[in-house]
């Protein structure tokens, strides 16, 4: 369904940006018998319900005109939340110095899950400072091994 998400992203991005917000993510997923088109938006200071309703209405109108999706679906426009996904280079760059959760396809240093402070990011590698018991370790993770990345909430 990548083609659907790419088409929706091209349609949604200018709408969201005209409203002074950022398009964070677009997902088209099947849950049970239903399809969901999930669009995450954000802005400085966070989005509220009015922002989500506004973008939902404008995007619904554009989707009805362009109609890039064949299946019936539910449109869900929301904030990415505190555990915002990190997908684009800009997402990782903004997350430097923040607490993140990384899951890899293949083991790195005998693990596939990491949580710690993102120290640096390049197109090929990111560096994470993780705590193992009482020690802080720096771990380099190849970007091509990342299955999922997001901000992480620290309690």
């Amino acid at each position: 369904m990548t083609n659907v998400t790419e088409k929706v992203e091209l349609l949604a991005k200018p709408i969201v940006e005209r409203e002074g917000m950022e398009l964070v993510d677009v997902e088209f997923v099947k849950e049970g018998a239903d399809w969901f088109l999930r669009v995450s938006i954000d802005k400085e200071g966070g989005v509220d319900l009015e922002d989500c309703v506004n973008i939902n209405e404008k995007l619904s109108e554009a989707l009805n005109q362009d109609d890039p999706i064949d299946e019936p679906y539910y449109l869900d426009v929301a904030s990415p939340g505190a555990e915002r996904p990190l997908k684009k280079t800009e997402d990782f760059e903004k997350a430097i110095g923040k607490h993140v959760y990384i899951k890899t396809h293949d083991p790195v240093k005998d693990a596939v899950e990491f949580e710690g402070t993102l120290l640096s990011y390049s197109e090929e590698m990111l560096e994470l400072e993780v705590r193992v018991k009482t020690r802080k370790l720096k771990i380099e993770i190849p970007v091509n091994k990342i299955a999922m990345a997001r901000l992480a909430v620290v309690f």
Side-chain angles (χ1 to χ4, degrees):
M1 287 302 160
T2 303
N3 200 19
V4 167
T5 58
E6 288 171 0
K7 288 178 183 176
V8 172
E9 191 168 324
L10 288 172
L11 196 61
K13 191 171 182 171
I15 293 168
V16 172
E17 288 177 351
R18 267 195 306 272
E19 298 300 315
M21 293 177 243
E22 171 193 3
L23 180 64
V24 175
D25 195 20
V26 175
E27 290 182 318
F28 188 58
V29 294
K30 189 170 188 176
E31 294 179 5
D34 298 318
W35 283 94
F36 291 86
L37 176 60
R38 293 201 172 100
V39 177
S40 296
I41 59 172
D42 206 0
K43 69 178 181 186
E44 193 68 39
V47 295
D48 58 23
L49 184 59
E50 284 183 35
D51 294 324
C52 295
V53 169
N54 178 35
I55 297 300
N56 190 307
E57 289 172 356
K58 290 182 169 147
L59 185 55
S60 288
E61 198 173 293
L63 287 165
N64 287 339
Q65 288 176 357
D66 194 310
D67 201 17
I69 303 172
D70 296 329
E71 299 86 357
Y73 62 92
Y74 294 96
L75 175 60
D76 178 21
V77 177
S79 160
E83 294 188 334
R84 175 186 174 136
L86 305 175
K87 294 190 174 188
K88 299 174 260 176
T89 297
E90 304 86 57
D91 298 336
F92 283 96
E93 288 171 351
K94 286 181 189 175
I96 292 174
K98 295 183 180 171
H99 200 76
V100 299
Y101 170 82
I102 308 286
K103 187 170 186 175
T104 60
H105 296 290
D106 302 311
V108 174
K109 303 269 187 193
D110 297 325
V112 294
E113 293 185 81
F114 304 89
E115 194 168 318
T117 303
L118 181 60
L119 299 175
S120 65
Y121 175 82
S122 73
E123 295 289 328
E124 298 83 31
M125 191 78 63
L126 64 81
E127 186 177 29
L128 204 59
E129 182 179 79
V130 298
R131 178 169 236 130
V132 178
K133 296 184 182 177
T134 59
R135 296 182 308 147
K136 289 183 179 178
L137 301 173
K138 291 181 181 176
I139 295 176
E140 289 187 334
I141 301 172
V143 171
N144 64 358
K145 287 193 175 193
I146 296 173
M148 191 266 289
R150 63 170 168 74
L151 294 177
V153 176
V154 181
F155 292 99

